[in-house]
Amino acid sequence: MNARQWARDLRMGAKFAVAGGREGWTRLLLTAVGVGLGVALLLLTTAIPSALAVRHQREEARLDFTYSQAHRKAADNTLLIADTDTEFRGTDVRGRLVEPEGPQAPLPPGLTKYPAPGDMVVSPALKELLGSGSAKLLRERLPYRVTGTIGESGLIGSRELAYYAGAQHLAERIDGWHVARISRFGPPERTPTEKTDPVLVLLVLVVFVVLLMPVAVFIAAAVRFGGERRDRRLAALRLVGSDGRMTRRIAAGEALAGSLLGLVFGTVFFLIGRQAAGSVEVLGISVFPSYLNPTPVLAVLVAIAVPAAAVLVTLFALRGVVIEPLGVV
């Protein structure tokens, strides 16, 4: 059996799927919605490693006490910074007091300018919390005037509570631990890039295969949608001369059409889910929608694996079905 015959039979099945009347369209849409939900789940899952990597990069980019030196001298490019982290109802609040000592002082990621003494720039989540009636005690701990918000590049998550407040006379409190003088933000000098852990790669592949199972279940269930009409069509194909294998390939073509439409639905569901993920926090971890970008290789793998699974699952589901000119058993 050559590839041309396979392509012809699958194409014929796809035509039957879109030209099957109301029942055919209902079956196609049910298949597409089911497959689309599975595709969205796959895309969200494949985007998690990327999201965690971006969080790690953002966290490293704003490191401040790594370069602290108690005896560093003041200069045009130095900044006095104090660690004022706190906690509110079990949630960490990241806080920093800043006092630039020159026009070239490093600007923290996410800020466009330094807050004046007595002012502070906060994360969107902290601004929302301070504006609510349940944060009175926290507001008393942060006696600063809110003058702006921290940009996305300065936060590791959409629900992170963080602020930068302007201060004075921090030089008198330098201890190299809670108050320090720095000349830059970011991690120490990097060592050569480490190779990807093969165990992690194997784990990602295992999770990917496991998550294909729900998609396969949706496709297998879709084979049963509109069963009587499909059975009559398959029997008619046998009546006009097609053999059993050809009719099964045509049936697989119908499922293929639904899975291709499901890829479109899944992309839409994924974009909706990605946007909604920005307002959700799980186990203290939150992300921005822009963090959830699937790795291109894994996204291509999803686009290939789902239609292929549609064909294979349909052929497997029909392996024990007897298709004769006068009926299907």
Side-chain angles (χ1 to χ4, degrees), residues 9-123:
D9 296 339
L10 292 176
R11 186 167 59 250
M12 183 181 297
K15 290 181 179 179
F16 285 145
V18 298
R22 180 177 298 177
E23 291 184 9
W25 274 103
T26 300
R27 182 164 175 260
L28 181 65
L29 289 176
L30 288 174
T31 303
V33 170
V35 173
L37 292 174
V39 169
L41 178 62
L42 284 172
L43 290 176
L44 284 172
T45 303
T46 56
I48 289 176
S50 174
L52 295 179
V54 174
R55 279 176 57 91
H56 180 67
Q57 293 170 3
R58 295 283 172 84
E59 190 169 14
E60 282 193 330
R62 69 183 187 183
L63 286 178
D64 38 36
F65 283 80
T66 303
Y67 292 93
S68 62
Q69 295 180 11
H71 303 291
R72 183 190 297 273
K73 295 182 179 180
D76 288 343
N77 65 338
T78 57
L79 169 72
L80 293 171
I81 188 166
D83 182 345
T84 55
D85 289 350
T86 185
E87 185 177 301
F88 180 69
R89 296 181 178 176
T91 303
D92 293 333
V93 180
R94 184 180 190 272
R96 295 290 188 271
L97 299 181
V98 292
E99 182 183 351
E101 295 185 296
Q104 299 178 11
L107 198 64
L111 269 63
T112 56
K113 63 178 181 179
Y114 284 104
D119 295 343
M120 69 175 175
V121 181
V122 300
S123 65

Side-chain angles (χ1 to χ4, degrees), residues 184-251:
R184 59 171 293 187
F185 287 88
E189 295 297 330
R190 291 185 176 275
T191 55
T193 304
E194 299 181 358
K195 295 182 179 180
T196 304
D197 187 352
V199 177
L200 179 60
V201 174
L202 179 61
L203 181 61
V204 171
L205 291 177
V206 169
V207 172
F208 183 85
V209 172
V210 170
L211 288 176
L212 273 177
M213 294 178 64
V215 180
V217 171
F218 286 134
I219 296 172
V223 173
R224 299 179 177 86
F225 297 155
E228 294 182 0
R229 186 181 184 88
R230 188 200 64 235
D231 290 349
R232 290 196 299 269
R233 182 165 56 249
L234 295 178
L237 289 172
R238 292 284 284 122
L239 188 62
V240 298
S242 65
D243 57 19
R245 292 183 179 180
M246 179 179 177
T247 54
R248 291 186 180 89
R249 290 194 296 271
I250 292 174

Side-chain angles (χ1 to χ4, degrees), residues 148-211:
T149 56
I150 303 173
E152 183 178 319
S153 61
L155 301 171
I156 62 173
S158 59
R159 307 307 301 171
E160 183 185 17
L161 304 179
Y163 71 90
Y164 288 96
Q168 291 178 313
H169 311 301
L170 290 180
E172 302 171 1
R173 300 161 48 189
I174 291 180
D175 57 10
W177 181 249
H178 294 291
V179 182
R181 177 179 283 123
I182 65 174
S183 61
R184 59 171 293 187
F185 287 88
E189 295 297 330
R190 291 185 176 275
T191 55
T193 304
E194 299 181 358
K195 295 182 179 180
T196 304
D197 187 352
V199 177
L200 179 60
V201 174
L202 179 61
L203 181 61
V204 171
L205 291 177
V206 169
V207 172
F208 183 85
V209 172
V210 170
L211 288 176

